[in-house]
Amino acid sequence: MRKKILWLMMSLMWAFNSPVMAGTGASGQEEEDPMQVFVGKQVIDLQMRDLEGQTHRLSEYVGKGKWVLIDFWASWCGPCRAEMPELVKVYKKFHANGFEVVGISLDDDAEDWQKAIKKMKLTWHHLSDLAGWDSKAVKTYKVFGIPSNLLVNPKGKIVASNIELEELTEKLAEVLGE
């Protein structure tokens, strides 16, 4: 019995210290955000449906003179839902000054997606292809986990990936004023 427990403990220690579990690459260094490769580049257009089932392009919202946060999330994602109240505050604070949010959902159930948006009072633009992790957005933007995001400047260039809400607030205060 002791040998089994010892073997189990050693196996767990090895697993949690392995490069995959510890978030490090083969070199032993911290892996970078896969979405970081898009910083400095123009937004890649996507076509998805809104809450009413109407088809829209991401390009309808970015590169139109406003700062845009493309927020990748899902109704079933606890961490996504936990940060939404703060994102709502940021949106309300800066929206009138030229800030938009486009939520791209990785949901696969339209009803769950719509209920979550209504319940959390998310008043910005919402798009999804209701394909979950098989979404075009996941493949196009190398979304490795949610919540994830991209910050886009008024000319449609991605300036940050996976920006924390505190950093987003500071950036928007800098470029849009309080």
Side-chain angles (χ1 to χ4, degrees), residues 19-30:
V20 173
M21 293 300 291
T24 57
S27 67
Q29 296 182 356
E30 193 72 22

Side-chain angles (χ1 to χ4, degrees), residues 6-143:
L6 184 58
W7 179 83
L8 179 62
M9 287 176 55
M10 289 177 63
S11 296
L12 287 171
M13 287 175 52
W14 176 83
F16 284 107
N17 287 318
S18 74
V20 173
M21 293 300 291
T24 57
S27 67
Q29 296 182 356
E30 193 72 22
E31 283 189 26
E32 290 191 23
D33 168 8
M35 296 173 78
Q36 183 69 31
V37 299
F38 298 104
V39 174
K41 298 181 178 162
Q42 290 296 118
V43 167
I44 300 168
D45 208 4
L46 292 172
Q47 185 171 308
M48 302 178 117
R49 296 190 186 274
D50 67 11
L51 293 167
E52 288 79 40
Q54 300 298 313
T55 301
H56 291 275
R57 299 186 78 70
L58 190 54
S59 58
E60 293 175 40
Y61 309 106
V62 298
K64 306 292 183 197
K66 294 185 178 191
W67 285 86
V68 178
L69 184 73
I70 302 171
D71 184 48
F72 302 95
W73 75 291
S75 66
W76 46 261
C77 170
C80 301
R81 292 184 74 136
E83 80 173 18
M84 285 302 179
E86 288 304 311
L87 184 53
V88 168
K89 289 177 187 174
V90 173
Y91 180 74
K92 286 180 178 178
K93 182 174 184 176
F94 294 104
H95 178 68
N97 295 348
F99 174 60
E100 288 289 344
V101 175
V102 176
I104 296 185
S105 173
L106 304 188
D107 277 284
D108 56 12
D109 183 290
E111 189 175 333
D112 289 346
W113 176 45
Q114 293 165 351
K115 282 181 182 178
I117 290 167
K118 186 175 182 178
K119 182 176 183 176
M120 293 185 291
K121 298 180 175 130
L122 308 179
T123 58
W124 48 77
H125 306 286
H126 295 278
L127 301 173
S128 183
D129 54 12
L130 296 174
W133 284 104
D134 291 325
S135 171
K136 291 181 274 187
V138 169
K139 295 170 186 156
T140 302
Y141 284 107
K142 299 183 181 189
V143 177

